[in-house]
Amino acid sequence: MSAIALFAATACILAATWTPSIAVAKLLAIPSGLLGGGWAIGFFATLQAMFPERYRASATALFVAVMTLIGYFIGPSFQARSARRSAITPNHCGSGSV
């Protein structure tokens, strides 16, 4: 179930990102938000089941901390590089009007 929710949320986010219409992007944002957190419950339950009881809380907290740091430090750098490679300009963001 977690894998299905993660795949569906990712697909909706990518579709919302690449759609030329703001209205369609807004509609795709709803399932993205609803499915986005659905994978976490099963994933953290699996993570905690892998460790002995005395390490469960520490292992889960360490995992969340490491993933957060990766998201804060590697994520923006990766996004900047991919944006430069794809040569995103304001003209690709719909009608161009604000």
Side-chain angles (χ1 to χ4, degrees), residues 10-90:
T10 303
C12 287
I13 290 168
L14 289 175
T17 303
W18 292 333
T19 187
S21 168
I22 295 294
V24 174
K26 286 181 186 178
L27 289 175
L28 289 170
I30 295 168
S32 300
L34 294 174
L35 293 170
W39 62 272
I41 297 166
F43 183 78
F44 287 127
T46 303
L47 181 68
Q48 289 184 357
M50 293 184 336
F51 291 100
E53 287 184 21
R54 64 185 277 192
Y55 298 119
R56 285 182 184 170
S58 298
T60 303
L62 182 63
F63 176 79
V64 170
V66 168
M67 289 296 110
T68 301
L69 290 175
I70 287 173
Y72 279 134
F73 294 115
I74 296 175
S77 174
F78 175 77
Q79 180 61 33
R81 287 188 183 124
S82 65
R84 274 188 243 126
R85 286 190 183 138
S86 64
I88 294 176
T89 62

